[in-house]
Amino acid sequence: MQLAEVVTKLNRLAPLRLAAAWDNVGLLLEPSSPQPPIQRMLLTNDFTSAVWKEAESKNVNLIYCYHPVIFAPLKRLTCATEKQGLLVRAVEKRVAIYCPHTAMDAVEDGVNDWLVGGLGDGMTMALETLNGNPREGYGRKMLLNEPVATLDEMIARVKSHLGLKHVQVARCSKTDPIRIVAVCAGSGGKVLESAKADVLVTGEMSHHEILAAVERGSHVITCGHSNTERGFLHTLKPRLEALFEKAIEVEVSEVDADPLVTE
Ligand SMILES: [Zn+2]
């Protein structure tokens, strides 16, 4: 499949107009014409040297990297830093890179719907809606059909959904059953700032944001930034295979991981 056709389909899956104004999304690295047809695609949360090695060994033509591989404007493209050096290698090997980031956070059935979907059943809406569509925008809030009796049970659900042994928890003084849970994949401090929920679940929040949330009467569960994003790629793989009608082999990176572990 030609890259242009692949990009059109990816843009339809998570429209770029949904991305935050500060973000940098879409096709960020494009080989010159005549472009190699896209036969293999690697899904990753981050573009690291380990992921690049894997992409090279798997002969992929396209890397679908959730976080933007180019964010701050570049004044040069050299190998002076590891990050830029990886981009140079990708250019030389004629590998394209596509980054959906906040477009995929905001779209219905994107990262945040996946994140909240594993915590229970209930009515879901965006915390910051876009275009008047309550199911599109940043963060998600779920009104649980069945209240969860204890915070411990909600912690167990978070761990099970994200495949984690450990999360960090800030408990507020409330001991009532949990009826409303609010989530934001990645760094959720700003989006969750005014969320009225019994529990906030995110990748990371600052010390002061956590203190303020607890004072407002919400428990906080932080899971590590990319641990709240990466699992989505496994649900995306079959969707992309269907989107490309199996014309492209789609793989999820085996080496992409959160840099922080609890020891
Ligand atoms: Zn992130």
Side-chain angles (χ1 to χ4, degrees):
M1 193 176 286
Q2 288 305 305
L3 179 62
E5 194 183 339
V6 174
V7 169
T8 302
K9 285 177 189 277
L10 291 177
N11 288 348
R12 227 177 273 145
L13 189 70
L16 303 183
R17 60 179 166 77
L18 300 179
W22 50 261
D23 209 353
N24 192 38
V25 293
L27 183 65
L28 299 192
L29 203 66
E30 180 183 27
S32 62
S33 293
Q35 294 174 336
I38 306 299
Q39 292 168 322
R40 300 191 84 181
M41 178 173 175
L42 186 68
L43 312 185
T44 184
N45 211 79
D46 292 289
F47 187 47
T48 60
S49 48
V51 169
W52 171 247
K53 236 172 149 178
E54 182 185 18
E56 257 193 313
S57 74
K58 289 179 170 165
N59 278 315
V60 307
N61 320 102
L62 173 62
I63 298 173
Y64 184 95
C65 179
Y66 169 73
H67 283 138
V69 295
I70 301 172
F71 192 72
L74 294 174
K75 289 203 170 176
R76 54 183 61 79
L77 196 53
T78 69
C79 298
T81 67
E82 182 65 23
K83 208 178 157 202
Q84 281 190 22
L86 289 174
L87 292 173
V88 172
R89 282 166 210 267
V91 168
E92 287 168 351
K93 293 279 175 153
R94 302 173 60 67
V95 172
I97 306 182
Y98 184 98
C99 306
H101 203 211
T102 51
M104 191 51 98
D105 290 344
V107 74
E108 191 171 346
D109 290 330
V111 178
N112 282 303
D113 276 319
W114 161 79
L115 182 58
V116 80
L119 306 182
D121 295 317
M123 198 178 70
T124 303
M125 66 211 84
L127 286 170
E128 285 178 22
T129 57
L130 289 172
N131 316 310
N133 180 350
R135 296 190 50 83
E136 207 167 72
Y138 307 118
R140 291 293 185 272
K141 180 164 149 174
M142 179 185 271
L143 185 60
L144 291 156
N145 290 341
E146 301 274 341
V148 173
T150 63
L151 180 60
D152 287 349
E153 194 187 328
M154 183 50 79
I155 293 167
R157 286 188 190 189
V158 171
K159 286 181 179 173
S160 156
H161 181 39
L162 302 181
L164 298 172
K165 283 203 184 86
H166 305 282
V167 292
Q168 291 199 297
V169 180
R171 289 175 190 262
C172 71
S173 56
K174 287 198 297 198
T175 52
D176 309 336
I178 288 151
R179 289 186 172 80
I180 300 174
V181 55
V183 309
C184 180
S187 195
K190 278 279 156 295
V191 170
L192 295 171
E193 204 169 30
S194 49
K196 287 186 174 50
D198 302 311
V199 187
L200 310 180
V201 179
T202 186
E204 58 177 331
M205 265 166 87
S206 77
H207 172 74
H208 297 288
E209 286 164 347
I210 293 170
L211 286 179
V214 167
E215 290 289 342
R216 286 198 312 271
S218 300
H219 306 291
V220 177
I221 304 175
T222 66
C223 312
H225 186 112
S226 68
N227 292 329
T228 55
E229 303 165 336
R230 185 170 295 99
F232 171 73
L233 298 176
H234 292 275
T235 67
L236 185 62
K237 176 182 144 79
R239 288 171 63 189
L240 291 178
E241 283 166 343
L243 186 69
F244 302 128
E245 293 163 357
K246 305 233 167 180
I248 299 175
E249 222 175 297
V250 183
E251 281 192 55
V252 179
S253 170
E254 297 165 72
V255 297
D256 174 50
D258 199 274
L260 283 176
V261 292
T262 304
E263 295 192 351

